[in-house]
Amino acid sequence: MTSRLTPLRIGLTGGIGSGKSTVGQMLQARGAALIDADAIARSVTAAHGSAIPAIAQTFGPEFITAEGAMDRDRMRAHVFRHPPAKQALEAIIHPLVMQEAQRQAQEAIAKGHQTLVFDVPLLVESGARWRTQVDRVLVVDCLEETQIQRVMARNGLSREVIQSIISAQATRAQKLAAADWVIHNEGLDLEALDAYVKSLPIPTA
C-alpha cells in the first residue's frame, strides 16, 4: 500500500466488556500503533507521576499514598460524594494524558506507523476534546447483557456493580451516533472478530 503523508488517526472506544481492548490488540497486530489513554492516566497518577503535585495541591496530601501515588479508593469515594471534584480531577489529568498521547503519537510516526489507534474508553463522553484529535471513531458494540456476562466472567464483579459502571458511561445509542465505523461484537468468536478487524480500510505498516 502506498505511504500516507499523514497517518490515519483512529479513536477506538466501546463500553466495558465490549471487546474494545481485544480489537485494539488486533489492530496493533496489523501494524497500527496503539496508544492507551487509560494506561497513560494510570501512569500520571502512579507513584511520582506528573499529576501528583497538582492532585496534592488541589485535594490535599491525604489523597496521596505513602508511596507517592494517588489514593484511588479515597479519591473514588470523594468524587462520588462531591461531583464537582470529578471535574477538578479531570482538569488535572486530561491535559497530561493528551500531552503524553501526542508524544507517543509523534514517536510512532517517526517509526513509520501509518495508522495510530487511540484507545479511549470515554471518547464519546469527552466531547470534542478527543473527537478533534482523530480522523475516524471506531466503536465496538454489543448488547448490554453481553457486556454484563463478559465482565462477570472476566472480573468476578456483581451484576449491580457492572450495571452502575455501564450507567456512568455514554449509552449505546450515543456511542453509535458518534461512530464512523462500528464492529458489532455479538456472537463472534476471535477468528470472526479478527476477520472483521482485517476488513477495515486502514493502511498497514
Side-chain angles (χ1 to χ4, degrees):
M1 185 172 289
T2 57
S3 177
R4 291 170 57 96
L5 292 175
T6 304
L8 177 67
R9 294 170 177 254
I10 299 172
L12 172 64
T13 195
I16 186 172
S18 64
K20 172 184 62 63
S21 296
T22 301
V23 168
Q25 291 164 6
M26 291 174 173
L27 286 166
Q28 194 173 27
R30 287 192 64 188
L34 185 63
I35 299 164
D36 187 335
D38 250 10
I40 296 171
R42 288 192 298 272
S43 72
V44 302
T45 57
H48 311 297
S50 56
I52 296 303
I55 291 172
Q57 183 176 12
T58 302
F59 296 95
E62 65 272 21
F63 284 88
I64 308 302
T65 67
E67 294 74 30
M70 182 179 76
D71 188 328
R72 294 183 179 279
D73 291 338
R74 182 187 286 265
M75 184 63 76
R76 192 178 297 114
H78 180 67
V79 166
F80 181 77
R81 291 194 304 269
H82 306 93
K86 182 173 184 286
Q87 282 73 40
L89 181 63
E90 289 174 348
I92 294 169
I93 293 175
H94 287 170
L96 295 172
V97 171
M98 186 68 73
Q99 181 181 350
E100 174 60 17
Q102 294 304 335
R103 188 198 67 78
Q104 291 185 20
Q106 291 305 313
E107 190 176 85
I109 292 168
K111 290 179 179 177
H113 288 280
Q114 296 181 40
T115 301
L116 309 179
V117 176
F118 297 86
D119 182 340
V120 187
L122 301 180
L123 186 149
V124 175
E125 293 85 341
S126 74
R129 184 172 62 250
W130 274 105
R131 187 61 185 89
T132 56
Q133 301 296 317
V134 299
D135 303 309
R136 298 284 185 275
V137 172
L138 171 58
V139 171
V140 185
D141 177 61
C142 65
L143 298 173
E144 182 174 313
E145 183 58 29
T146 301
Q147 290 179 264
I148 292 169
Q149 293 300 327
R150 285 174 180 165
V151 179
M152 286 174 67
R154 182 183 71 195
N155 300 93
L157 298 177
S158 69
R159 174 178 288 270
E160 291 72 27
V161 168
I162 300 165
Q163 284 178 321
S164 70
I165 294 171
I166 292 172
S167 297
Q169 298 180 339
T171 65
R172 283 183 71 198
Q174 288 171 325
K175 289 188 177 76
L176 293 173
D180 296 298
W181 298 330
V182 178
I183 292 180
H184 294 288
N185 187 19
E186 191 68 51
L188 300 179
D189 59 19
L190 285 176
E191 186 176 354
L193 182 60
D194 191 44
Y196 213 144
V197 170
K198 286 177 177 174
S199 73
L200 294 171
I202 66 170
T204 53

